[in-house]
Each structure stands twice: as structure tokens, then as C-alpha cells.
Amino acid sequence: MDRCVVLVDAGYLLGAAASLLAGEPSRSRIVVDHAAVVAGLRRRAELETGQPLLRIYWFDGAPDRVPQPEHRRLRVMPRVTVRLGALTRTDGRWAQKGVDAAMHAELSELARNRACSDVVLVTGDGDLLPGMMSAKEHGVAVHLWAVQAADGDYNQSEDLVAEADERRVLDREWITAAIRARDIAGVCPPPGPRPEIRPEIAAILSAPLPESAAAAPPQAPHPAKNGTAPAPEPTPASAPRGVPTPKDLAGLGRAHAAPPPPHPAPSATLRWSSDRSWTDRGADVPDTSGLPTLAQLTTAEQRWADREADITAVSGDPYEVGQVFARRWIARLADPAHLQQLSTHYPRVPHRIDGELLRYAARFGLLAHKDDQIDEQDRYAIRAGFWREVDGRTESSADGD
């Protein structure tokens, strides 16, 4: 068959792109336009092989082989087939399992069945060498593509390079047409103090991280036996990067706080969790049973449209997930008073809505693989996005009145 097929090792392609653009191979350091990547691969494959594309196979790893948001977007694109291996965590690092074997099997099957005349391999792993040799024995021309290495050297197996019929490099210009380095300023991007943001929300979203890793509220020292206070204990040297947690915020002190809000903050140690787990709630927790859930506000047609949008338009970034959920909830409210009622609960998300919010976020692969719980900092980012959207809509409603 005079057609070409592209086999992509996503771990290699995106890891090498991250090294090139962001200086380290972590895929969290880049933002990928998967539609642009697919279109670029197709154009270049057809141009260099002179054959029409049959299909692009996208090989990647996923925890328990459960498709992640990017995989759901990819597998509904024309001429794209997604094959998933396992993603396991060892010694604090994620590693793909079964991806190379799946690529080898697909390559051998395509060649044996004469399904194509040319195969483009986007990979650097020498484990594919037997599959490449088998394809050549069946009369298939093998094109090996590399991602430009950050240090100017090879980032592929030399045996693969030696055995390939043709070799090309996807250079920085090609990569940046579809992939860019992420601006790492914390998991939750601070919007900065703007007039429409309530001051206490701006304080959380823009607060700097404390110098102490523990970031615990200062405690009164125990007096020594002679009645004098002992010297304070030294604090750890560095703080974890990311979204400030309630403990972090409590350790900041008033020196780093934003302008004081017009009404007192709910607690010195702000908790973004739902009202059910608000341990300092006391007896004055307002009744939230009258607030509807998103499921109660959503029709069957809207549910279908939501699922389509989640697959094709929502990136899965925790902050964005919170915003999308809040946007849908607000847009479907029949009684605008519910929005004002919700706003008064800040920073506590009513338990029924919070549970639904976190279940929605879990669809985007935000569950930590170890214990099937959403990572703590991701939870803060999800709720920050939720409150950011609620705050903006509340201000808009007030302006409209």
C-alpha cells in the first residue's frame, strides 16, 4: 500500500520538547496544542514520504491505562489512534511501561500486513530496533525523526539512527509552532490585584510563599525555668513552590497581606475546604441546603455538551477546571440570589457543591495515583479557580444592578 503511517512515542516527543524549551524533561513545564502537533506531523510526513497519510498512532502512558484529558482529545481527532501503556511511579518518578512493546507490535503488524509503504517513527528508544529491522525486511521504508536536542547532541539510540532509512530532526521552529514553555509561577496563576477581585481573594491568589517550609503560625515560646524566653528555634531553609496552603498563609503574617477586607476574614488560618470539614466553624455555619448542585441544574442535552467540551476544549489545568465548573453552575442558576448566597460562604465551599466540584476535577486525571486522592495543591488551585469565577460574576451582577 502506498501510504505512510506515523508512530509517535509521546513520552519521547514531549519530554524532549520540554528539555529543549524549558530546560528539563518534565511535561508539566510545557503547554501542548495537540491539534497543531497532529497537523504538523501529518503535513511533514506526507511531504517527506510523498505518500498520503493512513494514520497517526499516538503511544503514551497513563495511570492504570485510564485516558487523560489529552488522550481524550487526541482519540477523537481524524486519523489519530491512541494506544496507552501503564504509567507507574518509582522512587518519586513516573515511568512508562508497555509503550515500547506496543509500538514494536504495531510496527511489525503494519509491515507484515503491508498496510503502508513508509513508516515514520518519532522515538529515541533503542528497544524498537528489532521492530525497525523487521519492518525493513518486509519492504517498508523507515523514517526516524528526532526532536532537536537541548545540548545539540543526539537524544536517540545510535543503533536506531544507524538502522533508519531516512533521518530528520524536528527543530525548535517546528516544535514551537505547537508547543511552548509554561510560565511557572505556581500551580495557581495569580491574577494580580484588580478592581473586580474581592481583596481577600486577591490576598490568597497573589500572596508570596513563606520562607519557612513548615510555614506554621508562630507559637508562644515556653518560658525557661529562670523566667526568660528561650531563643526561637531555627526554621527550615526553603519552602515548597506552588499554591500557598492554609498553613502557608497563616505563616505569612499581616506584613505580606493584601489591603484589609471591608469585613473580617473568617479565620486566621484560611481553609479552602468545604464547610463539613471546617474545624473552626463553630455554631454559626449558615445553612447551605438550599443551594442547588450543578447536576440538579443540568439537562441531559447540556450534560452531553459538557462532556464534549471537556474532551475538546478544557485543558485539565486545576485552576481552569474550577473556573469551568463555576461558570456552568452560575450560567444555569434560575435564581440569581443563589450566587449572592454562595459568595457569602467564602472561602468555604458548601459541602455538596465541593464534593461535586472535586468529582468533576477527577475526570481530568487529577487523582494522585498513590491513594486516589486529589493532590493538596491541586485542590487549592481548583477551589481558587472556582472562587475567582464566582467573584467575577458576583461583581458583574452588582454592577448590573
Side-chain angles (χ1 to χ4, degrees):
M1 286 287 185
D2 293 334
R3 297 178 296 191
C4 67
V5 171
V6 181
L7 275 61
V8 181
D9 179 351
Y12 166 77
L13 172 62
L14 301 183
S19 294
L20 178 65
L21 303 181
E24 60 180 84
S26 173
R27 288 161 61 169
S28 64
R29 296 295 307 274
I30 55 175
V31 178
V32 183
D33 183 343
H34 291 89
V37 170
V38 168
L41 289 171
R42 178 171 187 169
R43 283 194 301 270
R44 183 153 184 169
E46 291 182 337
L47 177 65
E48 294 198 3
T49 65
Q51 305 295 344
L53 178 76
L54 171 62
R55 191 173 297 115
I56 294 174
Y57 290 91
W58 187 274
F59 295 86
D60 204 359
D64 297 325
R65 291 185 167 84
V66 176
Q68 303 300 292
E70 63 186 87
H71 304 139
R72 296 201 296 270
R73 287 193 295 274
L74 282 162
R75 65 184 185 180
V76 297
M77 293 180 186
R79 303 278 179 155
V80 176
T81 296
V82 175
R83 298 279 190 257
L84 294 180
L87 193 63
T88 59
R89 193 171 181 83
T90 305
D91 297 329
R93 301 186 64 181
W94 291 100
Q96 295 182 159
K97 300 293 183 183
V99 171
D100 296 334
M103 289 188 71
H104 180 284
E106 198 71 58
L107 177 58
S108 299
E109 192 73 10
L110 288 167
R112 185 164 51 250
N113 293 328
R114 302 189 182 279
C116 58
S117 58
D118 296 75
V119 168
V120 174
L121 293 177
V122 186
T123 186
D125 198 325
D127 290 346
L128 274 178
L129 182 62
M132 177 186 287
M133 297 174 65
S134 174
K136 291 175 63 176
E137 290 172 359
H138 285 87
V140 174
V142 179
H143 305 251
L144 182 65
W145 289 1
V147 175
Q148 179 180 336
D151 56 6
D153 200 355
Y154 285 140
N155 53 15
Q156 289 178 305
S157 161
E158 291 188 14
D159 291 334
L160 279 185
V161 173
E163 192 66 28
D165 294 309
E166 301 282 350
R167 183 174 183 267
R168 296 289 184 270
V169 175
L170 302 175
D171 59 17
R172 181 183 290 270
E173 181 181 0
W174 191 94
I175 294 295
T176 53
I179 303 171
R180 63 177 175 83
R182 186 187 299 274
D183 181 17
I184 302 296
V187 181
C188 169
R194 289 165 46 184
E196 69 271 17
I197 304 177
R198 218 166 37 231
E200 64 269 30
I201 290 185
I204 289 180
L205 299 187
S206 62
L209 286 174
E211 294 300 323
S212 165
Q219 299 179 0
H222 297 289
K225 292 182 179 180
N226 59 7
T228 59
E233 295 182 3
T235 57
S238 60
R241 301 296 298 173
V243 180
T245 68
K247 284 186 177 181
D248 292 333
L249 294 170
L252 289 173
R254 293 186 179 275
H256 297 298
H263 50 277
S267 170
T269 54
L270 290 172
R271 303 177 197 275
W272 296 19
S273 57
S274 68
D275 48 19
R276 180 169 294 187
S277 58
W278 182 279
T279 57
D280 298 336
R281 58 186 179 273
D284 59 345
V285 178
D287 180 24
T288 61
S289 59
L291 290 175
T293 63
L294 181 61
Q296 292 171 333
L297 298 170
T298 303
T299 66
E301 291 78 8
Q302 288 171 326
R303 190 172 296 111
W304 184 88
D306 288 349
R307 178 66 74 171
E308 285 291 303
D310 290 343
I311 292 173
T312 59
V314 181
S315 69
D317 174 78
Y319 187 79
E320 181 191 6
V321 167
Q323 285 186 300
V324 170
F325 181 94
R327 196 174 300 137
R328 291 173 182 170
W329 188 84
I330 295 167
R332 294 166 192 175
L333 285 175
D335 185 357
H338 283 144
L339 178 58
Q340 296 293 338
Q341 182 184 359
L342 175 66
S343 183
T344 62
H345 294 284
Y346 172 84
R348 297 170 288 185
V349 184
H351 180 72
R352 293 162 65 239
I353 295 177
D354 188 63
E356 190 179 38
L357 169 62
L358 296 182
R359 286 193 297 273
Y360 171 67
R363 298 181 191 173
F364 294 90
L366 295 175
L367 292 177
H369 186 58
K370 180 180 178 182
D371 52 8
D372 289 334
Q373 296 293 321
I374 295 179
D375 178 79
E376 182 182 37
Q377 291 195 351
D378 283 347
R379 290 200 305 273
Y380 295 128
I382 292 163
R383 289 160 176 155
F386 175 86
W387 281 119
R388 176 65 186 85
E389 193 69 22
V390 169
D391 184 65
R393 299 302 179 95
T394 304
E395 293 291 336
S396 300
S397 299
D399 293 342
D401 294 340

